[in-house]
């Protein structure tokens, strides 16, 4: 089997309400569907989400990277030779989600060609994962209302609270959520680098008081002294996200003891590099959580396939429901969270079946 072409299709799907977090916000999912075509007719698919505030990528840059760099390096190659294209593309810096999506689309090809789901090929630890619901920044009262409604409707037991804009509001939000949800629900917070070290240290007693289990990216990712101060002061483990966008950064953050937990996002490290991150973290005794790069359903299926493959990535609830923020999606069968869980579809590859009429409607590269 040989790769014959790689297609990059940009598409926009409006959100139900704008997603707001510490340093940015979006009102539309601006993603690129990547399709890896092969000479025996198997087509692998994955989603690259343009996140300029984290990786500097745009839909245009992702399409350019695929057409100008990835496709020429990969066409003609056996898709099983993942280490060859990884090596061929090692000269290229950044372009995280373009690289990650190409890797996952190749894994999708391999799974379909072998007739096996990717979560089994990668490790096959479990068939479903608990889902963490992300509460994006809004009024504390609005967050409480949303959490109660979604716990009732979908059975969520874990909530991630977006903080990092204003310390007073953040404190009211976590206290309000704990009071409303009771002691049995897991709460963790993500400041998206929005706090100063002083802010973060000031809120630590409140975070302990309400039983927050993880403190995600409290201060700017590349201010080492601030990170050192917060890590030294915090009994709550710090979950690295924007600071750990590739394997070498994971190693640095762990060895510097700036992060005690690592967010794995397959949107930025694909399956191949994410596997190496799992090995590194397991070897050093560092826990992991499956993060969302604000994935649509296509990206969520990939995160689920990888998270369900290993014991260490499925222990914690994964961020597997961002698609609920989109007004529509591309799959023929929408994903549904039931009893706080999402099940792997069990189909060959990642299990992505695209509704071509919806893709035709939302793609932005045709008239
Ligand atoms: Mg984060």
């Amino acid at each position: 089997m040989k790769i014959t072409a790689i297609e990059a299709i940009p598409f926009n799907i409006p959100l139900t309400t704008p997603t707001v977090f510490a340093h940015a916000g979006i009102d539309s999912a601006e993603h690129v569907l990547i399709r890896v075509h092969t000479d025996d007719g198997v087509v692998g698919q994955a989603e690259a989400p343009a996140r300029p505030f984290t990786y500097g990528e745009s839909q245009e840059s992702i399409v350019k990277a695929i057409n100008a760099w990835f496709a020429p390096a990969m066409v003609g190659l056996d898709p099983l030779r993942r280490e060859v294209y990884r090596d061929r593309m090692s000269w290229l810096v950044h372009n995280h989600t373009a690289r990650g999506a190409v890797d996952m689309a190749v894994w999708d090809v391999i799974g379909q060609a072998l007739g096996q789901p990717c979560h089994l090929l990668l490790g096959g630890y479990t068939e479903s994962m608990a889902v963490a619901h992300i509460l994006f920044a809004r009024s504390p009262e609005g967050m409480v209302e949303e959490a109660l409604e979604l716990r009732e409707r979908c059975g969520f037991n874990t909530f991630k609270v977006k903080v990092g804009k204003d310390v007073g509001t953040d404190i009211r939000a976590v206290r309000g959520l704990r009071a409303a949800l009771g002691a049995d629900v897991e709460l963790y917070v993500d400041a998206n680098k929005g706090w100063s070290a002083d802010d973060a240290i000031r809120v630590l007693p409140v975070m302990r008081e309400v039983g927050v289990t993880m403190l995600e990216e409290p201060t700017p990712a590349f201010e080492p002294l601030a990170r050192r101060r917060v890590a030294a002061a915090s009994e709550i483990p710090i979950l690295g996200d924007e600071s750990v966008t590739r394997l070498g950064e994971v190693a640095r953050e762990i060895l510097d003891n700036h992060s005690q937990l690592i967010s794995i996002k397959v949107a930025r490290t694909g399956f191949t590099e994410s596997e190496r991150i799992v090995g590194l973290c397991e070897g050093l005794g560092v826990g992991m959580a499956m993060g969302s790069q604000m994935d649509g359903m296509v990206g969520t299926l990939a995160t689920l396939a990888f998270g369900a493959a290993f014991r260490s990535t499925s222990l914690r609830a994964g961020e597997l429901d961002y698609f609920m923020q989109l007004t529509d999606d591309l799959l023929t069968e929408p994903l549904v969270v039931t009893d706080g869980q999402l099940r792997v579809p069990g189909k060959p590859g990642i299990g992505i079946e695209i509704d071509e009429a919806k893709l035709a409607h939302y793609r932005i590269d045709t008239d």
Side-chain angles (χ1 to χ4, degrees):
M1 186 168 46
K2 295 270 189 291
I3 295 170
T4 52
I6 306 182
E7 212 181 344
I9 306 168
F11 64 93
N12 290 353
I13 299 179
L15 302 182
T16 53
T17 51
T19 288
V20 180
F21 43 96
H23 56 85
I26 61 171
D27 56 16
S28 172
E30 298 183 354
H31 298 182
V32 181
L33 184 71
I34 305 297
R35 285 181 157 159
V36 172
H37 295 264
T38 58
D39 58 358
D40 66 358
V42 174
V43 180
Q45 303 178 103
E47 175 180 73
R51 298 290 174 258
F53 37 80
T54 308
Y55 309 114
E57 291 177 283
S58 63
Q59 284 170 306
E60 292 83 356
S61 77
I62 292 166
V63 172
K64 165 80 179 183
I66 299 300
N67 291 337
W69 301 319
F70 286 98
M74 295 173 70
V75 166
L77 204 60
D78 182 335
L80 284 169
R81 295 190 183 278
R82 299 183 306 282
E83 289 297 299
V84 175
Y85 76 73
R86 187 169 185 264
D87 182 50
R88 281 186 187 173
M89 294 313 298
S90 63
W91 64 270
L92 180 67
V93 300
H94 308 305
N95 291 283
H96 293 70
T97 72
R99 193 191 308 268
V102 166
D103 180 72
M104 293 188 289
V106 170
W107 273 94
D108 191 34
V109 165
I110 293 168
Q112 290 181 62
L114 297 175
Q116 295 292 333
C118 283
H119 81 289
L120 284 182
L121 293 176
L122 287 160
Y125 182 72
T126 181
E127 306 302 312
S128 68
M129 279 186 69
V131 180
H133 178 69
I134 304 174
L135 294 161
F136 287 93
R138 52 194 292 203
S139 72
E141 298 74 24
M143 285 179 163
V144 168
E145 193 182 320
E146 180 181 335
L148 288 171
E149 196 265 316
L150 282 170
R151 181 171 66 168
E152 177 69 24
R153 180 151 59 93
C154 305
F156 292 113
N157 276 314
T158 304
F159 293 89
K160 160 155 132 174
V161 188
K162 287 287 189 179
V163 294
K165 271 190 172 301
D166 165 70
V167 166
T169 309
D170 296 340
I171 288 172
R172 281 201 295 134
V174 292
R175 280 192 170 140
L177 285 162
R178 178 58 78 206
L181 295 167
D184 295 337
V185 161
E186 178 176 357
L187 293 178
Y188 64 107
V189 298
D190 183 1
N192 287 109
K193 313 175 289 176
W195 286 329
S196 66
D198 290 341
D199 287 341
I201 290 168
R202 188 174 141 214
V203 299
L204 279 174
V206 178
M207 297 297 154
R208 275 199 298 273
E209 167 201 314
V210 301
V212 161
T213 55
M214 301 187 277
L215 209 57
E216 182 169 340
E217 217 64 84
T219 56
F222 303 107
E223 292 183 5
L225 287 180
R227 298 178 72 78
R228 192 181 299 174
R229 276 184 67 209
V230 176
S234 180
E235 292 165 14
I236 303 168
I238 290 170
L239 173 62
D241 177 9
E242 290 96 330
S243 60
V244 291
T245 66
R246 51 204 165 98
L247 180 65
E249 290 178 353
V250 175
R252 184 200 59 207
E253 285 298 296
I254 294 173
L255 293 175
D256 287 348
N257 198 27
H258 291 167
S259 297
Q260 293 78 43
L261 292 164
I262 297 298
S263 176
I264 294 186
K265 294 187 174 178
V266 294
R268 65 185 173 210
T269 44
F271 289 170
T272 304
E273 186 155 326
S274 295
E275 271 192 298
R276 286 170 157 86
I277 292 172
V278 170
L280 176 66
C281 290
E282 287 185 354
L284 292 168
V286 170
M288 290 155 268
M290 292 306 300
S292 167
Q293 199 54 67
M294 296 187 282
D295 303 321
M297 287 187 188
V298 174
T300 299
L301 279 176
T303 302
L304 176 62
F306 190 87
F310 308 92
R311 179 177 182 275
S312 56
T313 54
S314 57
L315 284 175
R316 289 175 178 79
E319 297 168 2
L320 297 163
D321 81 336
Y322 183 79
F323 60 82
M324 289 167 71
Q325 311 287 330
L326 276 63
T327 52
D328 198 2
D329 218 303
L330 299 184
L331 296 189
T332 53
E333 277 179 53
L335 302 179
V336 179
V337 177
T338 308
D339 295 331
Q341 302 268 323
L342 203 55
R343 287 191 67 79
V344 289
K347 296 172 184 160
I350 298 172
I352 298 162
E353 291 177 5
I354 299 291
D355 182 325
E356 294 299 331
K358 286 189 174 180
L359 179 60
H361 179 69
Y362 290 113
R363 68 190 296 171
I364 58 168
D365 57 345
T366 51
D367 294 329

